[in-house]
Amino acid sequence: LIGKDKPGLVDAIAKCIIDAEGNWLKSSFCQLSGQFAGFIEVMLPQEKHNELLHACHQLAHLHITLLPSNAHETLLDAKAVILVTGNDRRGIVSDITSTLKTFDINIIEMTTQCESAPNWGSPLFTAKVIVSVSHQLDVDNVKLAIEDIADDLMVEIEKS
């Protein structure tokens, strides 16, 4: 879901799902610069797919893509949370994601932010990256590889 944010938008989507006999399973939303973006996992009867699509498209200025999921396929991989903190610079996200790619790590969720660092004045970059990793992966090697990107990067990894 992508569109101009406004109060009541999520409620309108929820009503469309209920009207199509769907069940809201999981979601993730954010608002940036007045724009709304979100993902919703919904379980509904196959024959109600077009009804839900039509109802959601009636919502003003909201672009919606409805795709069947492979929710029945389970990932055998573990999840890990990677926290990265360091001075902001151009290309830092690309460097981190490229490093993760070399370990064949899939990014499930990523949140980044830049704030003025206390007592420094320069922008401080922080990232929280939730990833899917194989049980055999040595996360210490991943930590070292990310820390090697720049001298000032601090990395914490929790594997579950």
PDB file of all heavy atoms in Angstrom, residues 5 13 21 29 43 46 49-50 68 99-100 104 107 111 115 129 132-133 137 144 151:
ATOM      1  N   ASP A   5      -0.719  10.023   3.207  1.00  0.00           N
ATOM      2  CA  ASP A   5      -1.193   9.644   4.525  1.00  0.00           C
ATOM      3  C   ASP A   5      -2.348  10.534   4.946  1.00  0.00           C
ATOM      4  O   ASP A   5      -2.401  11.717   4.591  1.00  0.00           O
ATOM      5  CB  ASP A   5      -0.050   9.748   5.545  1.00  0.00           C
ATOM      6  CG  ASP A   5      -0.401   9.072   6.854  1.00  0.00           C
ATOM      7  OD1 ASP A   5      -1.236   8.152   6.853  1.00  0.00           O
ATOM      8  OD2 ASP A   5       0.182   9.456   7.887  1.00  0.00           O
ATOM      9  N   ILE A  13      -8.764   0.421   5.463  1.00  0.00           N
ATOM     10  CA  ILE A  13      -8.201  -0.823   4.915  1.00  0.00           C
ATOM     11  C   ILE A  13      -8.702  -2.021   5.728  1.00  0.00           C
ATOM     12  O   ILE A  13      -9.098  -3.046   5.165  1.00  0.00           O
ATOM     13  CB  ILE A  13      -6.663  -0.757   4.910  1.00  0.00           C
ATOM     14  CG1 ILE A  13      -6.189   0.342   3.964  1.00  0.00           C
ATOM     15  CG2 ILE A  13      -6.062  -2.108   4.512  1.00  0.00           C
ATOM     16  CD1 ILE A  13      -4.739   0.752   4.174  1.00  0.00           C
ATOM     17  N   GLU A  21     -14.238 -10.902   4.081  1.00  0.00           N
ATOM     18  CA  GLU A  21     -14.103 -12.107   4.901  1.00  0.00           C
ATOM     19  C   GLU A  21     -12.638 -12.491   5.131  1.00  0.00           C
ATOM     20  O   GLU A  21     -12.299 -13.660   5.275  1.00  0.00           O
ATOM     21  CB  GLU A  21     -14.871 -13.284   4.288  1.00  0.00           C
ATOM     22  CG  GLU A  21     -16.353 -13.031   4.175  1.00  0.00           C
ATOM     23  CD  GLU A  21     -17.092 -14.152   3.467  1.00  0.00           C
ATOM     24  OE1 GLU A  21     -16.590 -15.296   3.437  1.00  0.00           O
ATOM     25  OE2 GLU A  21     -18.181 -13.866   2.946  1.00  0.00           O
ATOM     26  N   PHE A  29       3.836  -0.720   8.845  1.00  0.00           N
ATOM     27  CA  PHE A  29       3.529   0.565   8.219  1.00  0.00           C
ATOM     28  C   PHE A  29       4.574   1.605   8.580  1.00  0.00           C
ATOM     29  O   PHE A  29       5.216   1.517   9.631  1.00  0.00           O
ATOM     30  CB  PHE A  29       2.177   1.118   8.711  1.00  0.00           C
ATOM     31  CG  PHE A  29       1.013   0.222   8.467  1.00  0.00           C
ATOM     32  CD1 PHE A  29       0.267  -0.264   9.519  1.00  0.00           C
ATOM     33  CD2 PHE A  29       0.655  -0.132   7.188  1.00  0.00           C
ATOM     34  CE1 PHE A  29      -0.815  -1.077   9.315  1.00  0.00           C
ATOM     35  CE2 PHE A  29      -0.433  -0.953   6.966  1.00  0.00           C
ATOM     36  CZ  PHE A  29      -1.169  -1.430   8.026  1.00  0.00           C
ATOM     37  N   MET A  43      -5.242 -13.335   5.352  1.00  0.00           N
ATOM     38  CA  MET A  43      -5.743 -14.641   4.930  1.00  0.00           C
ATOM     39  C   MET A  43      -7.198 -14.442   4.524  1.00  0.00           C
ATOM     40  O   MET A  43      -7.990 -13.891   5.296  1.00  0.00           O
ATOM     41  CB  MET A  43      -5.657 -15.654   6.065  1.00  0.00           C
ATOM     42  CG  MET A  43      -6.066 -17.048   5.631  1.00  0.00           C
ATOM     43  SD  MET A  43      -6.168 -18.317   6.937  1.00  0.00           S
ATOM     44  CE  MET A  43      -4.972 -17.835   8.126  1.00  0.00           C
ATOM     45  N   GLN A  46      -9.897 -17.554  -1.586  1.00  0.00           N
ATOM     46  CA  GLN A  46      -9.428 -17.202  -2.934  1.00  0.00           C
ATOM     47  C   GLN A  46     -10.500 -16.467  -3.729  1.00  0.00           C
ATOM     48  O   GLN A  46     -10.202 -15.510  -4.437  1.00  0.00           O
ATOM     49  CB  GLN A  46      -8.986 -18.469  -3.680  1.00  0.00           C
ATOM     50  CG  GLN A  46      -8.492 -18.208  -5.094  1.00  0.00           C
ATOM     51  CD  GLN A  46      -7.196 -17.431  -5.133  1.00  0.00           C
ATOM     52  OE1 GLN A  46      -6.343 -17.596  -4.277  1.00  0.00           O
ATOM     53  NE2 GLN A  46      -7.044 -16.558  -6.103  1.00  0.00           N
ATOM     54  N   HIS A  49     -10.615 -12.621  -3.378  1.00  0.00           N
ATOM     55  CA  HIS A  49      -9.443 -11.835  -3.778  1.00  0.00           C
ATOM     56  C   HIS A  49      -9.843 -10.589  -4.572  1.00  0.00           C
ATOM     57  O   HIS A  49      -9.446  -9.474  -4.241  1.00  0.00           O
ATOM     58  CB  HIS A  49      -8.491 -12.730  -4.592  1.00  0.00           C
ATOM     59  CG  HIS A  49      -7.242 -12.055  -5.017  1.00  0.00           C
ATOM     60  ND1 HIS A  49      -7.138 -11.369  -6.209  1.00  0.00           N
ATOM     61  CD2 HIS A  49      -6.033 -11.952  -4.413  1.00  0.00           C
ATOM     62  CE1 HIS A  49      -5.918 -10.886  -6.319  1.00  0.00           C
ATOM     63  NE2 HIS A  49      -5.230 -11.223  -5.252  1.00  0.00           N
ATOM     64  N   ASN A  50     -10.647 -10.769  -5.611  1.00  0.00           N
ATOM     65  CA  ASN A  50     -11.040  -9.633  -6.453  1.00  0.00           C
ATOM     66  C   ASN A  50     -11.911  -8.636  -5.687  1.00  0.00           C
ATOM     67  O   ASN A  50     -11.817  -7.429  -5.917  1.00  0.00           O
ATOM     68  CB  ASN A  50     -11.752 -10.113  -7.711  1.00  0.00           C
ATOM     69  CG  ASN A  50     -10.782 -10.746  -8.690  1.00  0.00           C
ATOM     70  OD1 ASN A  50      -9.586 -10.471  -8.669  1.00  0.00           O
ATOM     71  ND2 ASN A  50     -11.299 -11.626  -9.537  1.00  0.00           N
ATOM     72  N   PRO A  68      -0.601 -13.092  -4.038  1.00  0.00           N
ATOM     73  CA  PRO A  68      -0.701 -14.280  -3.191  1.00  0.00           C
ATOM     74  C   PRO A  68       0.646 -14.535  -2.523  1.00  0.00           C
ATOM     75  O   PRO A  68       1.701 -14.249  -3.096  1.00  0.00           O
ATOM     76  CB  PRO A  68      -1.046 -15.402  -4.176  1.00  0.00           C
ATOM     77  CG  PRO A  68      -0.677 -14.887  -5.516  1.00  0.00           C
ATOM     78  CD  PRO A  68      -0.691 -13.383  -5.444  1.00  0.00           C
ATOM     79  N   THR A  99      27.838  -5.974   2.090  1.00  0.00           N
ATOM     80  CA  THR A  99      28.532  -6.901   2.989  1.00  0.00           C
ATOM     81  C   THR A  99      27.617  -8.058   3.362  1.00  0.00           C
ATOM     82  O   THR A  99      28.034  -9.221   3.347  1.00  0.00           O
ATOM     83  CB  THR A  99      29.018  -6.161   4.254  1.00  0.00           C
ATOM     84  OG1 THR A  99      29.906  -5.117   3.853  1.00  0.00           O
ATOM     85  CG2 THR A  99      29.720  -7.104   5.214  1.00  0.00           C
ATOM     86  N   LEU A 100      26.359  -7.762   3.683  1.00  0.00           N
ATOM     87  CA  LEU A 100      25.411  -8.821   4.017  1.00  0.00           C
ATOM     88  C   LEU A 100      25.201  -9.758   2.831  1.00  0.00           C
ATOM     89  O   LEU A 100      25.100 -10.978   3.000  1.00  0.00           O
ATOM     90  CB  LEU A 100      24.084  -8.227   4.488  1.00  0.00           C
ATOM     91  CG  LEU A 100      24.134  -7.427   5.783  1.00  0.00           C
ATOM     92  CD1 LEU A 100      22.772  -6.808   6.087  1.00  0.00           C
ATOM     93  CD2 LEU A 100      24.618  -8.278   6.940  1.00  0.00           C
ATOM     94  N   ASP A 104      25.360 -14.102   1.829  1.00  0.00           N
ATOM     95  CA  ASP A 104      24.088 -14.670   1.384  1.00  0.00           C
ATOM     96  C   ASP A 104      23.012 -14.502   2.458  1.00  0.00           C
ATOM     97  O   ASP A 104      22.228 -15.409   2.735  1.00  0.00           O
ATOM     98  CB  ASP A 104      24.244 -16.143   1.002  1.00  0.00           C
ATOM     99  CG  ASP A 104      23.109 -16.618   0.097  1.00  0.00           C
ATOM    100  OD1 ASP A 104      22.556 -15.789  -0.649  1.00  0.00           O
ATOM    101  OD2 ASP A 104      22.767 -17.809   0.168  1.00  0.00           O
ATOM    102  N   ILE A 107      17.740  -9.770   3.964  1.00  0.00           N
ATOM    103  CA  ILE A 107      17.211  -8.723   4.838  1.00  0.00           C
ATOM    104  C   ILE A 107      15.691  -8.854   4.893  1.00  0.00           C
ATOM    105  O   ILE A 107      15.021  -8.805   3.874  1.00  0.00           O
ATOM    106  CB  ILE A 107      17.610  -7.322   4.345  1.00  0.00           C
ATOM    107  CG1 ILE A 107      19.130  -7.177   4.367  1.00  0.00           C
ATOM    108  CG2 ILE A 107      16.928  -6.234   5.173  1.00  0.00           C
ATOM    109  CD1 ILE A 107      19.643  -5.905   3.710  1.00  0.00           C
ATOM    110  N   THR A 111      15.556  -0.652   9.344  1.00  0.00           N
ATOM    111  CA  THR A 111      15.202   0.702   9.735  1.00  0.00           C
ATOM    112  C   THR A 111      16.497   1.474   9.910  1.00  0.00           C
ATOM    113  O   THR A 111      17.407   1.025  10.616  1.00  0.00           O
ATOM    114  CB  THR A 111      14.439   0.700  11.078  1.00  0.00           C
ATOM    115  OG1 THR A 111      13.335  -0.191  10.976  1.00  0.00           O
ATOM    116  CG2 THR A 111      13.950   2.083  11.431  1.00  0.00           C
ATOM    117  N   GLU A 115      20.747  11.131  13.025  1.00  0.00           N
ATOM    118  CA  GLU A 115      20.444  12.160  14.020  1.00  0.00           C
ATOM    119  C   GLU A 115      21.725  12.898  14.350  1.00  0.00           C
ATOM    120  O   GLU A 115      22.827  12.363  14.176  1.00  0.00           O
ATOM    121  CB  GLU A 115      19.899  11.540  15.303  1.00  0.00           C
ATOM    122  CG  GLU A 115      18.569  10.871  15.165  1.00  0.00           C
ATOM    123  CD  GLU A 115      18.082  10.328  16.502  1.00  0.00           C
ATOM    124  OE1 GLU A 115      18.872   9.711  17.220  1.00  0.00           O
ATOM    125  OE2 GLU A 115      16.899  10.538  16.799  1.00  0.00           O
ATOM    126  N   VAL A 129      18.769  -3.961  11.511  1.00  0.00           N
ATOM    127  CA  VAL A 129      18.518  -4.829  10.372  1.00  0.00           C
ATOM    128  C   VAL A 129      18.142  -6.216  10.897  1.00  0.00           C
ATOM    129  O   VAL A 129      18.926  -6.837  11.614  1.00  0.00           O
ATOM    130  CB  VAL A 129      19.770  -4.924   9.468  1.00  0.00           C
ATOM    131  CG1 VAL A 129      19.440  -5.676   8.189  1.00  0.00           C
ATOM    132  CG2 VAL A 129      20.346  -3.546   9.159  1.00  0.00           C
ATOM    133  N   SER A 132      17.522 -12.985   7.899  1.00  0.00           N
ATOM    134  CA  SER A 132      17.390 -14.430   7.939  1.00  0.00           C
ATOM    135  C   SER A 132      18.763 -15.010   7.643  1.00  0.00           C
ATOM    136  O   SER A 132      19.384 -14.652   6.643  1.00  0.00           O
ATOM    137  CB  SER A 132      16.372 -14.868   6.882  1.00  0.00           C
ATOM    138  OG  SER A 132      16.299 -16.266   6.804  1.00  0.00           O
ATOM    139  N   VAL A 133      19.240 -15.862   8.536  1.00  0.00           N
ATOM    140  CA  VAL A 133      20.584 -16.438   8.379  1.00  0.00           C
ATOM    141  C   VAL A 133      20.518 -17.947   8.592  1.00  0.00           C
ATOM    142  O   VAL A 133      19.649 -18.446   9.296  1.00  0.00           O
ATOM    143  CB  VAL A 133      21.600 -15.824   9.371  1.00  0.00           C
ATOM    144  CG1 VAL A 133      21.787 -14.343   9.115  1.00  0.00           C
ATOM    145  CG2 VAL A 133      21.180 -16.056  10.811  1.00  0.00           C
ATOM    146  N   LEU A 137      25.841 -20.222  10.010  1.00  0.00           N
ATOM    147  CA  LEU A 137      26.593 -18.985   9.802  1.00  0.00           C
ATOM    148  C   LEU A 137      27.249 -18.512  11.093  1.00  0.00           C
ATOM    149  O   LEU A 137      26.599 -18.430  12.137  1.00  0.00           O
ATOM    150  CB  LEU A 137      25.671 -17.883   9.268  1.00  0.00           C
ATOM    151  CG  LEU A 137      26.352 -16.542   8.987  1.00  0.00           C
ATOM    152  CD1 LEU A 137      27.319 -16.662   7.812  1.00  0.00           C
ATOM    153  CD2 LEU A 137      25.314 -15.473   8.699  1.00  0.00           C
ATOM    154  N   LEU A 144      32.557  -8.735  12.088  1.00  0.00           N
ATOM    155  CA  LEU A 144      33.885  -8.221  11.705  1.00  0.00           C
ATOM    156  C   LEU A 144      33.855  -7.594  10.315  1.00  0.00           C
ATOM    157  O   LEU A 144      34.471  -6.547  10.088  1.00  0.00           O
ATOM    158  CB  LEU A 144      34.923  -9.338  11.755  1.00  0.00           C
ATOM    159  CG  LEU A 144      35.278  -9.856  13.148  1.00  0.00           C
ATOM    160  CD1 LEU A 144      36.166 -11.101  13.047  1.00  0.00           C
ATOM    161  CD2 LEU A 144      35.969  -8.767  13.964  1.00  0.00           C
ATOM    162  N   ASP A 151      36.233   2.557  10.353  1.00  0.00           N
ATOM    163  CA  ASP A 151      36.813   2.453  11.695  1.00  0.00           C
ATOM    164  C   ASP A 151      35.834   2.793  12.819  1.00  0.00           C
ATOM    165  O   ASP A 151      35.998   2.328  13.941  1.00  0.00           O
ATOM    166  CB  ASP A 151      38.038   3.368  11.821  1.00  0.00           C
ATOM    167  CG  ASP A 151      39.198   2.885  10.975  1.00  0.00           C
ATOM    168  OD1 ASP A 151      39.221   1.679  10.630  1.00  0.00           O
ATOM    169  OD2 ASP A 151      40.068   3.712  10.645  1.00  0.00           O
TER     170      ASP A 151
END
